[in-house]
Amino acid sequence: MSPFAAVAGVLLVVTAAPYIAFLGLYAWLRPSGSPAEKSESEPPVSVVLPTYNESRIVEAKLDDLLALDYPMEKVELVVVDSSTDETREIIRDYFAELEAPELTLIEEDERRGLAPALNEAYEAAEREMVVKTDCDSKLPPDVLREAAANLADPEVDAVTGRNVEVLGGSGVESEYRGVQSHIQRLESHLDSTLIFHGPFSAFENDALCPIDPNSLADDTELALKIRRQGGRVIFDPAVQYKEASHSEFVKRRKQKDRRAMGLIRLLVQHRDALGRYGSYGRAVLPFNWWFMIVSPWLLALTLGVGTISAVTTVGLAGFALPVAVGLFTYLGQKDALGPAQALYSLFDTQVSLLRGGIDLLRGKGDGTWEVDAELREIYE
């Protein structure tokens, strides 16, 4: 065996070891459902909705919110808008004849980024339970009741849920969300989960705290800070939403790389939490450090060393390895890998995390986002 082959083998084993340990722990604990002591509850709710040039879909989102199975007299909608189109006019007209829910419309004259907008909206939210949702998502009627049942547990300060249907039919995203839901289920039963999802997350109002104005992972940052305050932040698969996504490789980079940057930067900023806060700092954060920061570089190094090993062993035929990776990627983005599609979804995520890490090292990243017009069409 060549030295390069031996190094590639060692790298592959080292890269895979934490994932194998995770699978073993999952098989041992067999976590299911929410770890909270859920009970029926109907607290007053503030729904925070940040908007930016959502004129094509905001009315459908408002219809979605009013269709929720919850007494609207207990709901206030806090919209923070920095649009240059007719979004806020549509919102005002929509609520002109409505007695409930109550509307608080925060109008920004300039676009400052999502995190400052959310800080202002959370400050304005007055109800006991605060829900954050995105305009480009759909919610089932029972989502507020499921969230409230989790927050009725005095140990739980925040809850997020899962994407039960990827709008647009992306097999890549659907498989990744399936894998992610298993990760978050185990994390929540161990202690708390890391990632909170923009389409739907719910918080106890008195647990809210300001987030970094330059944050690229605002929902997750808020949850992480709440956990550092002593609260528990969990994932419940019964809390559901729908969100759209791409499968095509290039389009996914535009959608996923910014999220990857935000999560990596957040982990680095809160690196002092490693080893603290019970199993959250001893197991949950280290696993996410490995998955988001260490593993992408090790995987790239493994592929590089493996290619060198193959070429030095069999000559030009050794380039079959990168060609095979390219074919794997091509078929994966076409949702054509069958049982291997879940494996490709993890590979795709590692690509975004590697690119996100490189972009952060290059000093890229700000708090604004670009509207994906193609995905918006799905919500119209």
Side-chain angles (χ1 to χ4, degrees):
M1 178 184 294
S2 73
F4 287 113
V7 171
V10 170
L11 286 171
L12 184 60
V13 170
V14 171
T15 303
Y19 301 114
I20 295 172
F22 172 88
L23 289 172
L25 185 58
Y26 191 93
W28 180 42
L29 294 179
R30 297 182 180 274
S32 63
S34 170
E37 293 291 334
K38 295 171 68 172
S39 59
E40 289 188 16
S41 181
E42 202 175 81
V45 179
S46 296
V47 178
V48 169
L49 180 68
T51 56
Y52 173 71
N53 289 355
E54 313 284 6
S55 60
R56 296 165 59 187
I57 64 171
V58 69
E59 189 168 354
K61 180 65 177 184
L62 296 176
D63 288 341
D64 196 40
L65 291 174
L66 263 70
L68 295 176
D69 176 24
Y70 211 82
M72 285 296 117
E73 64 273 12
K74 289 192 170 187
V75 178
E76 70 165 344
L77 178 63
V78 181
V79 179
V80 54
D81 180 72
S82 56
S83 300
T84 58
D85 65 1
E86 301 80 26
T87 298
R88 64 187 64 168
E89 286 76 17
I90 293 172
I91 295 171
R92 285 198 203 94
D93 291 344
Y94 190 98
F95 278 86
E97 304 298 326
L98 289 178
E99 294 184 3
E102 178 184 337
L103 171 67
T104 298
L105 178 58
I106 302 171
E107 302 180 38
E108 295 191 313
D109 295 328
E110 60 177 317
R111 194 180 183 202
R112 299 177 295 160
L114 182 56
L118 286 174
N119 279 334
E120 189 170 359
Y122 289 142
E123 185 68 26
E126 297 181 345
R127 307 296 170 91
E128 179 182 339
M129 182 171 85
V130 178
V131 165
K132 188 266 182 175
T133 185
D134 292 333
C135 217
D136 55 344
S137 65
K138 291 185 176 294
L139 305 176
D142 67 347
V143 70
L144 291 183
R145 294 192 180 278
E146 290 290 348
N150 280 277
L151 296 183
D153 185 334
E155 293 187 0
V156 175
D157 280 345
V159 62
T160 193
R162 66 187 181 109
N163 189 352
V164 292
E165 180 184 344
V166 178
L167 303 176
S170 169
V172 181
E173 187 68 11
S174 181
E175 292 290 350
Y176 175 66
R177 294 292 181 151
V179 172
Q180 187 180 55
S181 69
H182 284 85
I183 293 172
Q184 293 197 270
R185 196 173 303 169
L186 177 58
E187 291 176 341
S188 296
H189 280 264
L190 288 173
D191 186 301
S192 295
T193 192
L194 173 68
I195 295 177
F196 262 50
H197 303 289
F200 187 91
S201 293
F203 309 90
E204 291 283 2
N205 196 326
D206 58 8
L208 294 175
C209 55
I211 53 179
D212 182 350
N214 297 312
S215 179
L216 299 178
D218 42 90
D219 306 298
T220 297
E221 178 178 335
L222 179 54
L224 191 157
K225 286 185 171 180
I226 290 173
R227 178 62 190 91
R228 296 194 67 163
Q229 291 175 167
R232 193 174 182 188
V233 295
I234 64 170
F235 166 85
D236 180 6
V239 175
Q240 302 177 357
Y241 62 86
K242 299 178 183 179
E243 186 184 28
S245 187
H246 296 291
S247 277
E248 188 178 329
F249 187 83
V250 173
K251 292 179 180 178
R252 283 184 67 75
R253 302 288 69 77
K254 295 178 181 178
Q255 184 183 20
K256 303 286 284 189
D257 290 5
R258 181 182 177 276
R259 296 180 185 179
M261 291 172 62
L263 292 170
I264 293 169
R265 190 163 77 180
L266 184 65
L267 285 173
V268 173
Q269 288 173 334
H270 289 267
R271 58 190 178 275
D272 63 313
L274 287 167
R276 302 168 63 191
Y277 312 105
S279 295
Y280 187 71
R282 292 195 297 267
V284 174
L285 291 182
F287 178 81
N288 280 278
W289 263 80
W290 189 267
F291 181 73
M292 296 182 194
I293 298 177
V294 180
S295 175
W297 292 92
L298 282 179
L299 183 60
L301 187 59
T302 301
L303 291 174
V305 174
T307 300
I308 293 172
S309 172
V311 171
T312 56
T313 302
V314 297
L316 292 178
F319 284 106
L321 176 59
V323 170
V325 173
L327 180 61
F328 179 67
T329 302
Y330 175 78
L331 293 175
Q333 71 170 349
K334 298 293 185 181
D335 299 326
L337 287 173
Q341 195 66 42
L343 182 62
Y344 173 73
S345 73
L346 290 174
F347 173 79
D348 174 88
T349 301
Q350 294 286 283
V351 170
S352 274
L353 290 164
L354 180 63
R355 286 168 56 93
I358 293 172
D359 284 344
L360 285 173
L361 290 173
R362 296 169 61 192
K364 290 188 176 182
D366 60 45
T368 59
W369 74 99
E370 297 299 325
V371 173
D372 191 321
E374 185 176 343
L375 287 181
R376 285 296 194 274
E377 293 176 3
I378 297 171
Y379 299 95
E380 291 183 39

